[in-house]
Amino acid sequence: MMKILIFLCLANLLGLLEGCQLPHDWRPQTEACRAELVETVVFAKVLALHKDSYSVYNYLPWQYNSDLFFSAEIELLCDQAWGSMLEVPTGSRLNVTGLGYFPCHSYTVMENNSYYFFLRMDENYNLLPHGVNFQDPIFPDSPENHRMFASLFQFSNCSFGIDPQVYTPDWDVQEDHRLLCSTVQRALLEEEERVKNLSQKVRMLEKANGHLREKVKNLKRSLRQATIENKEALQAKCLNKENGGKDSKTSNHKKVLARAPKKPTGNRLD
Ligand SMILES: *[C@@H]1O[C@H](CO)[C@@H](O)[C@H](O)[C@H]1NC(C)=O
Ligand SMILES: *[C@@H]1O[C@H](CO)[C@@H](O)[C@H](O)[C@H]1NC(C)=O
Ligand SMILES: *[C@@H]1O[C@H](CO)[C@@H](O)[C@H](O)[C@H]1NC(C)=O
Ligand SMILES: *[C@@H]1O[C@H](CO)[C@@H](O)[C@H](O)[C@H]1NC(C)=O
């Protein structure tokens, strides 16, 4: 029982459980829409798999050196991938990292098989699967997927099996569809970014608010301290007067008497 609790706490801490939760207004997008938004699409054959003992995309830090994470060495089967990020000819070899079994998803491929990959590049120039809209970024080599992605490679020189020109009649339809869904999706992404910006602002304001509250608390404390010190000083003064001012008692008394009538008039004027 304790073990399970500890695991749950750990899992929670690492976002393992919460990480699987999709935004509450999430809806699945068509592959055509996602292909429009992804950084790059390539059609490639997997030549070899390499184990990654460590990956920045590894969310299970206590499982270093496991078999869960790997990269794939791929060879492009068409030149010029979709999008501007990669401009490489057929036959180029690349390593795609960030594959494996993750808490919320699995990105897996098999040696000698071909796939369509949605890819992106991270800030260290690693190529990674790009799960646009939190959906699967790797598509097996099937007739439906050929049909779906053929138009993306329509001007490519493909070396292996597929002949994109066969699907010419679909181009116009797909083109229209892409234009339509990309505007919708872009609006969605902008909305997401706006929300992200807003929540960041809220967090900043909350922080500032916390600082202010702390400042006010400190001010109050020093005010209280000052009041106490004032009182103490007054008391000390009074004590001093009572003790040390005996010889000048008459003159003090006179002063008090002289001031006394002034006060009520001052108050009445208020
Ligand atoms: C891919 O990674 C493996 C292992 O790190 C390395 O041996 C291979 O040369 C890399 N291939 C390319 C094309 O970078
Ligand atoms: C992939 O193909 C190569 C050469 O054709 C072969 O040696 C290797 O065993 C194959 N790998 C798998 C996992 O089938
Ligand atoms: C297509 O690629 C092959 C090699 O993969 C090359 O021999 C051929 O000339 C290319 N064709 C064009 C039109 O670029
Ligand atoms: C969000 O903030 C970034 C910079 O902080 C800014 O470039 C971007 O335009 C903002 N997006 C929206 C939708 O306000």
Side-chain angles (χ1 to χ4, degrees):
M1 187 62 198
M2 199 61 194
K3 259 186 189 164
I4 290 173
L5 269 178
I6 287 172
F7 172 76
L8 281 179
C9 285
L10 262 177
N12 250 327
L13 270 178
L14 291 157
L16 237 184
L17 298 176
E18 283 167 318
C20 297
Q21 271 175 18
L22 291 168
H24 101 109
D25 55 352
W26 179 88
R27 356 174 208 147
Q29 287 287 331
T30 61
E31 313 311 354
C33 269
R34 296 171 63 227
E36 171 74 4
L37 289 158
V38 71
E39 279 186 17
T40 297
V41 182
V42 301
F43 182 55
K45 180 179 177 180
V46 175
L47 300 177
L49 300 179
H50 304 288
K51 266 175 206 166
D52 282 346
S53 54
Y54 168 78
S55 156
V56 268
Y57 303 97
N58 165 353
Y59 298 109
L60 303 170
W62 61 85
Q63 280 183 329
Y64 280 178
N65 299 321
S66 74
D67 298 340
L68 292 176
F69 309 104
F70 59 93
S71 56
E73 194 163 350
I74 61 171
E75 182 178 290
L76 300 199
L77 299 178
C78 293
D79 59 23
Q80 179 41 22
W82 176 252
S84 55
M85 191 186 85
L86 276 180
E87 288 189 35
V88 284
T90 302
S92 305
R93 295 184 175 190
L94 305 162
N95 273 330
V96 174
T97 184
L99 298 168
Y101 300 90
F102 296 89
C104 299
H105 58 262
S106 300
Y107 292 162
T108 63
V109 292
M110 275 163 58
E111 202 177 279
N112 294 343
N113 288 5
S114 301
Y115 302 87
Y116 289 92
F117 291 90
F118 282 7
L119 297 178
R120 68 183 177 90
M121 201 176 256
D122 74 1
E123 57 278 8
N124 297 317
Y125 305 105
N126 297 310
L127 282 173
L128 304 161
H130 190 181
V132 179
N133 199 41
F134 309 105
Q135 285 170 261
D136 200 347
I138 300 171
F139 307 85
D141 181 8
S142 69
E144 304 92 81
N145 287 335
H146 282 324
R147 189 177 297 278
M148 190 147 55
F149 294 122
S151 71
L152 302 181
F153 296 94
Q154 61 184 288
F155 303 117
S156 294
N157 179 14
C158 292
S159 67
F160 181 74
I162 70 167
D163 181 6
Q165 311 293 332
V166 170
Y167 304 110
T168 329
D170 286 347
W171 290 355
D172 292 343
V173 179
Q174 289 212 3
E175 208 67 44
D176 288 349
H177 181 57
R178 271 216 306 279
L179 282 174
L180 187 71
C181 65
S182 80
T183 45
V184 170
Q185 181 70 35
R186 260 202 197 110
L188 209 88
L189 287 181
E190 265 164 31
E191 186 57 27
E192 269 172 21
E193 198 183 302
R194 214 173 56 81
V195 168
K196 227 185 277 165
N197 279 4
L198 277 178
S199 54
Q200 206 170 353
K201 226 179 218 168
V202 166
R203 233 174 296 132
M204 257 164 56
L205 283 175
E206 270 173 358
K207 221 184 207 172
N209 198 16
H211 279 310
L212 268 179
R213 215 176 290 144
E214 195 59 32
K215 226 177 196 173
V216 168
K217 219 193 275 168
N218 285 342
L219 272 176
K220 270 187 182 161
R221 195 182 303 133
S222 44
L223 192 69
R224 216 176 304 128
Q225 191 61 35
T227 313
I228 289 168
E229 275 165 13
N230 247 347
K231 250 185 209 160
E232 280 170 354
L234 262 176
Q235 269 169 2
K237 239 186 209 168
C238 289
L239 280 175
N240 260 344
K241 276 175 195 165
E242 274 173 18
N243 295 337
K246 262 173 189 164
D247 42 331
S248 58
K249 203 176 183 178
T250 40
S251 60
N252 266 344
H253 205 62
K254 263 182 205 162
K255 266 184 202 163
V256 170
L257 280 175
R259 256 185 230 155
K262 268 185 192 167
K263 237 190 174 176
T265 38
N267 280 342
R268 241 174 262 144
L269 281 174
D270 274 351

